Amino acid sequence: MSEPHPRGVLPEGCALLSRVRPIRDAGLGNLAVLNDELMLELLGRLPAKDLGCLAVASKSLYCFATAEDTWKALVLQEFEGRFVWAGSWKHTHAATHKARMAGSQEGIPAAAAAATAATAAAADGAASASGRGGGVGDKSGELVDLELDLTTRKRTRGSSKLGSGGGALTKRPATASARGGKGATTSGGRLRSLQVAGFYSDLLYQPWHCYSVDLSPDWLATDNVERRSGLSVQHFVEQYERPNRPLIVTDAASRWRARERWDDEYLAAAFSKCDIIAGNYEMPFDTYREYSGRNTDEMPLYLFDKGFARKAPHLADDYDVPEIFQDDLFSVLGEDGRPDYRWLIKGPKRSGSSFHVDPNGVMNLKKQISSTFASMMKKPIEGKVLQYWERAIQNEAATFESFVASLVASEEYKSSAMAQFVETLHDTVRSDRAVADQEALFDSFWTFRPNPSVPVTECDMVRFVTRQPSFEDHFCQIVREVFTFEMNREPLDDEIKRLSSKAKASETRYTLTQLMKDVAAAIAAQSSGDGASATSALTALSETEDYPIRSGSGSGSGSGSGSGSGSGSGSGINGNGVVPGVDQENLDGFEDVFSRPMFVQEYFKYIVQRDTRDMTWSDLHAHHTDNYHRLRTMFQNYTGKVISEYYFVKKYLYAVDSDGFFGSIVDRIVTSNEYRTGMQRVVCEHYQSMFDQALEASDVEYIFEIIKDKKLDIVSDELSDLLAQLKDETDGIVSNIFKVYMDALKRAPDMGEVEQFTPFFRERKDAMTEAHACAELERILVNMLEFHEILKQRMRELYAVQHGKDMTQSRLYTCLNDALSSVSTLTMKTLDDVLTRVINQ
């Protein structure tokens, strides 16, 4: 349960059952047409003095003008990290302002800071508004503290006279909070706030609720990231780094001195002469310690300092880099080129970062999406799918959890999970179960898995499998066989239970090989030997056909041979394959040079017919060898395939001497299916290696046509440039599609719409500018029926602002028809002007 809001604000749903009438609209007057988001946006543009004035105008404005997030933005904007924390951001503004006025504008004296913080926080000692003085003619601090005055001032006219709006105004009891002063306790006293009855707002209530509600441990019970300790470098690289599997290393900091030393006092001493960075603001550590110890922020500022080791060098001696991360890749850049690589991070409960760009420009969100997809689907994510989810999450049209849930709900993920389940089943139970049994068992696991909205883990599968009767039966059978073989007796029930408990407690796949080792260890513990005989016996037993254990390895052999012979004759060649008119001596000399038993007669026939008597046999051999290797290399570079000499002789022996042959053969190759298949395969592999993303089929066809027009081969350096351009172009197109949709339809596009309009932009990239293409897409969207709803909503809003009342349905549709008559020339920039003209006609 969350605590009551300090100003009595309640969720909007409470208004349905409450007997206290809502006072919001009455207290806001003409501003009531604005929703809560717009009200806070408007008030966030005001200075502190104006906010203080509004806070005493009505109870509704009091609730809006005292919102902590608004005052937090004011404090950080005006004072950055040089503030005096006084328990809340509103009182902090007053305390800091008074300290600035009492001291200097450059810094805040410690004595003045303490005194002003106490003054701002002390409710019992609050004076009247007119008696509080900061500087001459400046009453911003006075107006901020007016709330404290009202809690102690005797009001003889009744508590309902504070501004307009109904509802009772009561004094909130000054109770200390066990959480360190949740809006109650400060260093100078207890903060007491006016409580307003009848004010309902989800937007104002949510930050307080998120702060004050206790997190149930059940909400954090699901943990699908593997945890390991005692990992060697080799095991870490093989099992996690190369497969790109997430991991939490539980013993990385187990021997750090920082675990014992780094408390607030130690860090305060370390940073006594320098500032730290918190929330991107420089501030003294003592200021941050005061703030972090007692605040009511939904997402508090947290210390995030990349220069801590430079400011306090001895802190770097309190920790060391774990062995598995000793490979310092940044060292090749030198100290001057090394990017930021270590940070000191500290924060109170609820602090932390959302999805963000890392300090070195690494898109953490993009990596999370691609690695999660690859881990779950066992294949790389396609580029536009990655771009879609990245933009959707950044535009708050989706969340990372909804991305994961969409993968979990797909049939493709279910098939991938079943393959992993069958492998776990084979390793853990036995390998001879029928396929139908495997599928039935998986269906049972899938139906009753712990959380259907999150990915299944190997731990989930192991827990399920080891609790099946088939596992228990097979487990007991193996234990009995080994004990009988080794100790000539049946195992005791307790022995079986101990081994079974160990198997079931395993969070990773418990193979039967591991079971044999555990049985061997149990036998060795009871015998006087060292266990060597037990291990050898188990090894021998595992190699028998009767022992149903899947070893995880296999072997095979095979042999084959073939022979063939043939004979034939062609025109102009006699039965011995010799060209008429050529003596055997010449043929023998030619054979000695060419050494091509299979093709010598074809070569010789070609030479005789082409009248190459002015060339020696060696020259002719070199000529034909060069032609063959040149064509062979060309085919290999363009198609990835190697042509045989037989293929060359039969198809190109005579054609290769034609003028322009090697230029024309490229034209023929790039139109062949072999070129298309080979180039598309290489393009996909190269794009994957460059960007860790997969290309979609439509993108492959698009880039292939460009490559084909350029007649590039598969080893061309230009491929990398074209793929980089493709990625930049695709990213830009997806961004433009999202921008136009958000501007025109107030929503993110779905994946089908991204696919639909990507060719739209590509077809126009040479004919028009990017801005013109966006404008053309905008015109398409404004002609959609969906845009009519946008028009109606916008007309209602404009009409309410200008006329102070709701628009009638008949007037709405009349104006809509008038607006649609101009839709062909309508743009989002001119939308409000057109609609204003229409509703005022």
Side-chain angles (χ1 to χ4, degrees):
M1 292 290 292
S2 61
E3 296 182 7
H5 192 280
R7 292 169 182 82
V9 177
L10 293 172
E12 293 172 5
C14 293
L16 299 175
L17 302 176
S18 176
R19 295 182 178 180
V20 181
R21 64 180 179 84
I23 66 168
R24 179 190 185 278
D25 291 355
L28 293 182
N30 290 337
L31 293 176
V33 297
L34 302 179
N35 59 30
D36 290 357
E37 290 85 352
L38 290 176
M39 276 297 301
L40 289 181
E41 175 71 21
L42 176 63
L43 298 185
R45 299 174 183 271
L46 300 179
K49 181 177 180 179
D50 293 341
L51 270 180
C53 291
L54 282 175
V56 297
S58 75
K59 285 180 281 188
S60 295
L61 284 171
Y62 169 77
C63 293
F64 279 110
T66 55
E68 274 290 88
D69 285 345
T70 303
W71 285 98
K72 179 179 181 179
L74 267 175
V75 170
L76 296 178
Q77 179 182 349
E78 292 185 30
F79 308 124
E80 296 184 340
R82 302 297 177 182
F83 56 80
V84 179
W85 183 249
S88 72
W89 287 106
K90 181 167 62 67
H91 293 96
T92 293
H93 189 283
T96 307
H97 175 76
K98 291 178 181 178
R100 287 287 178 97
M101 299 303 295
S104 68
Q105 296 297 326
E106 300 299 326
I108 303 174
T116 52
T119 301
D124 295 334
S128 65
S130 60
R132 293 180 178 234
V136 178
D138 191 330
K139 297 185 178 181
S140 60
E142 301 171 12
L143 291 168
V144 169
D145 283 340
L146 186 56
E147 175 192 343
L148 297 178
D149 299 335
L150 293 172
T151 61
T152 56
R153 185 185 303 167
K154 295 181 179 180
R155 296 188 300 275
T156 59
R157 296 184 179 181
S159 59
S160 62
K161 296 299 183 181
L162 176 62
S164 61
L169 186 63
T170 61
K171 185 188 296 184
R172 182 170 182 253
T175 57
S177 172
R179 297 171 181 266
K182 288 188 175 180
T185 305
T186 70
S187 60
R190 291 173 178 172
L191 302 181
R192 293 183 291 182
S193 301
L194 298 171
Q195 284 209 315
V196 177
F199 192 87
Y200 308 97
S201 170
D202 289 343
L203 189 65
L204 295 182
Y205 182 79
Q206 179 181 337
W208 174 261
H209 175 76
C210 292
Y211 157 74
S212 62
V213 70
D214 289 323
L215 293 180
S216 170
D218 294 339
W219 297 356
L220 307 176
T222 299
D223 186 355
N224 57 4
V225 179
E226 188 173 352
R227 298 171 181 267
R228 292 287 301 274
S229 61
L231 274 177
S232 66
V233 176
Q234 180 182 357
H235 287 162
F236 172 74
V237 171
E238 293 176 352
Q239 298 177 23
Y240 300 97
E241 185 177 65
R242 288 176 182 166
N244 200 24
R245 290 175 56 195
L247 169 71
I248 296 176
V249 181
T250 59
D251 61 345
S254 58
R255 292 185 296 273
W256 287 4
R257 291 190 295 272
R259 291 169 61 92
E260 303 296 331
R261 296 181 177 180
W262 286 14
D263 55 19
D264 281 349
E265 286 70 22
Y266 185 81
L267 294 177
F271 295 113
S272 60
K273 298 181 180 179
C274 54
D275 291 339
I276 51 90
I277 305 295
N280 292 328
Y281 298 98
E282 293 186 0
M283 65 179 67
F285 182 83
D286 284 338
T287 298
Y288 179 74
R289 178 166 60 168
E290 279 292 310
Y291 160 77
S292 64
R294 49 192 185 92
N295 68 83
T296 61
D297 287 356
E298 178 184 359
M299 293 186 65
L301 303 176
Y302 63 98
L303 192 159
F304 193 82
D305 198 326
K306 64 184 179 183
F308 75 97
R310 173 180 49 80
K311 300 172 183 177
H314 65 280
L315 294 181
D317 298 331
D318 291 340
Y319 71 94
D320 52 35
V321 179
E323 182 183 6
I324 58 177
F325 301 130
Q326 289 288 342
D327 192 5
D328 185 7
L329 300 181
F330 285 154
S331 62
V332 301
L333 303 176
E335 288 305 314
D336 294 336
R338 180 190 291 273
D340 300 325
Y341 64 99
R342 56 185 176 184
W343 291 264
L344 174 63
I345 304 175
K346 181 182 186 298
K349 292 180 180 180
R350 307 174 313 282
S351 61
S353 65
S354 56
F355 292 119
H356 61 285
V357 178
D358 279 342
N360 291 324
V362 180
M363 181 51 74
N364 197 26
L365 172 58
K366 181 177 292 185
K367 186 63 178 177
Q368 284 182 302
I369 294 173
S370 59
S371 60
T372 299
F373 186 95
S375 174
M376 292 177 60
M377 311 306 283
K378 310 305 180 187
K379 66 176 185 180
I381 191 171
E382 294 177 345
K384 279 205 286 290
V385 176
L386 173 60
Q387 291 298 319
Y388 168 78
W389 282 105
E390 180 189 6
R391 294 290 187 273
I393 294 173
Q394 288 175 340
N395 285 280
E396 298 184 354
T399 63
F400 188 79
E401 289 74 16
S402 65
F403 160 69
V404 173
S406 71
L407 298 184
V408 174
S410 67
E411 287 297 321
E412 189 175 1
Y413 175 69
K414 184 176 180 181
S415 299
S416 173
M418 181 174 178
Q420 184 182 2
F421 180 84
V422 171
E423 185 178 352
T424 301
L425 183 66
H426 284 180
D427 278 355
T428 309
V429 184
R430 58 189 308 135
S431 59
D432 58 352
R433 296 179 67 90
V435 174
D437 292 342
Q438 296 173 4
E439 293 177 350
L441 198 60
F442 174 75
D443 288 341
S444 177
F445 164 74
W446 192 252
T447 302
F448 299 104
R449 62 191 189 276
N451 190 338
S453 62
V454 300
V456 295
T457 65
E458 184 176 341
C459 294
D460 297 332
M461 296 180 181
V462 169
R463 292 190 190 102
F464 180 83
V465 170
T466 54
R467 282 156 179 76
Q468 300 305 306
S470 55
F471 173 81
E472 194 75 31
D473 296 343
H474 192 50
F475 186 94
C476 294
Q477 177 189 348
I478 294 174
V479 173
R480 288 190 179 93
E481 289 177 358
V482 174
F483 268 82
T484 302
F485 181 86
E486 190 65 26
M487 303 190 71
N488 198 26
R489 69 170 176 83
E490 285 280 318
L492 302 176
D493 290 341
D494 288 345
E495 292 170 330
I496 295 178
K497 286 181 180 179
R498 281 197 299 271
L499 293 169
S500 178
S501 297
K502 183 173 182 180
K504 292 180 178 179
S506 174
E507 293 188 355
T508 57
R509 193 176 303 165
Y510 189 81
T511 64
L512 297 184
T513 302
Q514 181 63 43
L515 169 60
M516 288 196 301
K517 292 180 179 179
D518 291 340
V519 173
I523 294 173
Q526 298 180 37
S527 62
S528 57
D530 58 1
S533 60
T535 303
S536 62
L538 288 170
T539 304
L541 188 57
S542 68
E543 294 173 352
T544 65
E545 294 182 358
D546 296 333
Y547 206 75
I549 294 178
R550 181 174 183 263
S551 63
S553 63
S555 63
S557 63
S559 62
S561 62
S563 62
S565 61
S567 62
S569 61
S571 60
I573 302 179
N574 62 24
N576 293 323
V578 179
V579 179
V582 179
D583 58 35
Q584 186 65 40
E585 182 179 355
N586 281 338
L587 182 58
D588 291 342
F590 179 80
E591 289 180 350
D592 289 342
V593 173
F594 267 71
S595 302
R596 297 287 195 276
M598 292 181 64
F599 315 114
V600 65
Q601 293 188 13
E602 293 292 337
Y603 279 125
F604 196 73
K605 173 184 174 183
Y606 161 81
I607 290 170
V608 170
Q609 291 181 1
R610 287 300 174 95
D611 190 15
T612 55
R613 287 171 293 182
D614 57 336
M615 300 178 68
T616 65
W617 297 138
S618 297
D619 291 339
L620 288 169
H621 175 261
H623 172 71
H624 284 289
T625 301
D626 288 345
N627 283 338
Y628 165 57
H629 284 294
R630 183 179 178 185
L631 189 63
R632 184 174 183 266
T633 301
M634 186 175 290
F635 267 91
Q636 186 172 3
N637 287 347
Y638 274 91
T639 68
K641 295 183 178 180
V642 178
I643 63 171
S644 65
E645 189 173 3
Y646 175 83
Y647 184 84
F648 168 75
V649 169
K650 289 299 183 183
K651 194 166 185 177
Y652 296 111
L653 180 60
Y654 293 89
V656 75
D657 287 331
S658 303
D659 293 338
F661 168 79
F662 285 101
S664 63
I665 196 65
V666 171
D667 295 333
R668 294 171 59 185
I669 290 175
V670 297
T671 59
S672 66
N673 288 330
E674 289 85 355
Y675 177 71
R676 173 181 291 274
T677 302
M679 179 58 77
Q680 290 185 349
R681 174 182 55 79
V682 169
V683 163
C684 291
E685 293 174 352
H686 199 31
Y687 192 90
Q688 169 69 28
S689 67
M690 289 175 66
F691 305 112
D692 195 23
Q693 301 173 19
L695 270 176
E696 296 181 19
S698 58
D699 291 335
V700 174
E701 287 295 330
Y702 171 72
I703 194 64
F704 172 75
E705 292 300 324
I706 296 176
I707 293 171
K708 177 183 174 183
D709 290 342
K710 291 178 174 288
K711 300 178 182 178
L712 301 181
D713 57 39
I714 61 179
V715 296
S716 172
D717 293 336
E718 195 174 345
L719 283 180
S720 297
D721 295 335
L722 285 176
L723 293 178
Q725 293 172 15
L726 172 67
K727 186 176 187 307
D728 290 341
E729 175 187 296
T730 304
D731 290 353
I733 289 173
V734 173
S735 296
N736 284 328
I737 294 173
F738 264 82
K739 182 179 183 301
V740 174
Y741 263 80
M742 295 298 293
D743 288 345
L745 301 183
K746 312 303 179 188
R747 67 170 178 86
D750 59 35
M751 194 62 212
E753 290 165 331
V754 172
E755 289 285 354
Q756 176 186 354
F757 288 111
T758 297
F760 172 88
F761 277 87
R762 285 175 174 165
E763 291 165 2
R764 290 159 176 76
K765 70 173 184 177
D766 296 327
M768 60 179 64
T769 64
E770 184 179 276
H772 283 94
C774 289
E776 191 169 327
L777 175 59
E778 186 179 276
R779 284 193 290 273
I780 293 174
L781 298 184
V782 299
N783 281 281
M784 296 170 59
L785 287 176
E786 183 179 352
F787 185 68
H788 293 184
E789 296 300 321
I790 304 296
L791 287 178
K792 290 191 288 185
Q793 179 62 29
R794 189 57 185 151
M795 281 192 289
R796 289 191 188 100
E797 294 172 355
L798 290 173
Y799 191 89
V801 171
Q802 295 179 18
H803 299 279
K805 60 182 180 179
D806 292 338
M807 199 176 194
T808 64
Q809 286 294 102
S810 59
R811 179 63 177 160
L812 174 64
Y813 282 102
T814 299
C815 293
L816 178 62
N817 289 331
D818 293 341
L820 291 177
S821 64
S822 307
V823 75
S824 59
T825 59
L826 189 65
T827 66
M828 300 313 297
K829 290 182 179 179
T830 62
L831 177 63
D832 282 359
D833 292 338
V834 172
L835 296 183
T836 300
R837 174 177 53 79
V838 167
I839 64 179
N840 289 326
Q841 285 179 350

